[in-house]
Amino acid sequence: MLARLTAVAAVLACLATGCSGTEQRPPSGDPGVPTLRPQVLAEIPHDRAAFTQGLELVDGVLYEGTGLEGQSEVRATDPADGAVRERMKLPGEFFGEGITVVGDRIWQITWQNGVAIERDRSTLEERRRVTYAGEGWGLCHDGTRLVMSDGTDKLTFRDPATFAETGEVRVRDAQGPVVKLNELECVNGSVYANVWETDRIVRIDPASGGVTAVVDLTGLLPEGERAGADVLNGIAAVPGTDEFIVTGKLWPKLFRVRFATSG
């Protein structure tokens, strides 16, 4: 916890110098696991003040959760131009993290506050709060259950109505545990996870915890646009396609991409 808080403080301290905070770990050493690269289909403006923690596209609305104490929000934005349609602030002491849509509701978790907020999807208003143990990082809904990350190699499964734990899985690749799992996106039976402080997304089989692909997004945001930007974070599948919208904390752009085999 202290290491992550220190890292966040360091990022904020060096925004003016353009530091990127990307510490790379090599992709999976398993030759059977493909490495994918993004094909950029479109670039969309993104609010540079958004410390992106969660991203999800549902019914033509791009929902975004942002972080930092005193600045955390949940937003409904236009995926065509990045404009914010609606926004709702969290209490000042909360550090917002991942979000996911479940029917007419949105779940939003917090980092170290141990609180999940259930919201009305149409208004973003708070319906209720529930508590949980440990840290909250990423969140997605696979159609049956919630999947939540806590910054370790663990994914926790939760009931989408009660938020109660129903199971867990540990994520592994050929090199061992895959830690710092952050923003999540559930799509087509897989879980995509940003690996914090890297330019990698891993695709995970939630039944086994095995990594089935690595997405290398190195250089997606050009060096000339990295001044003030933080790390890659934010994955939203585009329904009915094989495309995704990805971004990062304090990035000036969202990218609509397709993940393809490199080479």
Side-chain angles (χ1 to χ4, degrees):
M1 293 187 299
L2 180 59
R4 190 173 188 225
L5 187 57
T6 301
V8 169
V11 166
L12 294 177
C14 71
L15 287 180
T17 68
C19 58
S20 64
T22 53
E23 180 183 44
Q24 295 289 345
R25 169 188 164 184
S28 171
D30 184 348
V33 172
T35 296
L36 309 178
R37 289 283 299 164
Q39 296 178 343
V40 177
L41 307 174
E43 298 181 2
I44 306 161
H46 181 241
D47 180 6
R48 292 207 67 149
F51 197 78
T52 306
Q53 305 284 58
L55 204 63
E56 193 161 315
L57 180 61
V58 181
D59 295 335
V61 179
L62 185 63
Y63 296 95
E64 182 173 17
T66 72
L68 301 176
E69 289 183 358
Q71 301 179 44
S72 297
E73 296 183 343
V74 62
R75 303 171 170 191
T77 70
D78 188 330
D81 60 11
V84 179
R85 296 175 178 172
E86 302 286 344
R87 66 204 312 159
M88 189 67 63
K89 290 185 69 68
L90 275 73
E93 70 274 18
F94 282 3
F95 194 119
E97 287 280 350
I99 63 167
T100 196
V101 173
V102 182
D104 64 352
R105 297 169 290 137
I106 298 173
W107 279 111
Q108 181 175 29
I109 56 176
T110 54
W111 177 26
Q112 294 179 322
N113 305 98
V115 173
I117 300 172
E118 184 188 58
R119 298 184 177 279
D120 183 283
R121 182 177 149 200
S122 62
T123 65
L124 306 184
E125 292 282 353
E126 182 177 326
R127 285 183 170 184
R128 61 173 173 146
R129 299 179 186 180
V130 299
T131 59
Y132 56 85
E135 295 188 358
W137 287 44
L139 191 68
C140 66
H141 180 232
D142 69 3
T144 302
R145 59 191 177 178
L146 301 175
V147 185
M148 178 172 160
S149 62
D150 63 1
T152 68
D153 62 334
K154 182 175 71 172
L155 296 178
T156 301
F157 306 123
R158 295 183 177 275
D159 184 285
T162 67
F163 214 76
E165 289 190 33
T166 59
E168 65 177 59
V169 68
R170 298 282 177 167
V171 177
R172 299 288 187 273
D173 65 11
Q175 301 177 46
V178 181
V179 299
K180 297 185 178 180
L181 299 174
N182 199 3
E183 211 303 77
L184 304 179
E185 180 76 353
C186 295
V187 58
N188 296 331
S190 294
V191 176
Y192 289 76
N194 279 113
V195 180
W196 187 56
E197 294 186 303
T198 80
D199 288 324
R200 291 184 298 120
I201 292 170
V202 291
R203 188 180 70 197
I204 303 161
D205 175 359
S208 66
V211 171
T212 61
V214 175
V215 186
D216 180 3
L217 296 172
T218 303
L220 179 62
L221 184 66
E223 193 62 35
E225 299 180 55
R226 293 203 64 92
D230 196 356
V231 296
L232 180 81
N233 201 55
I235 320 164
V238 180
T241 76
D242 60 353
E243 300 167 9
F244 293 83
I245 295 175
V246 297
T247 192
K249 303 173 187 293
L250 310 178
W251 280 26
K253 293 177 179 177
L254 301 149
F255 294 88
R256 186 162 176 154
V257 299
R258 180 180 292 116
F259 300 147
T261 304
S262 58

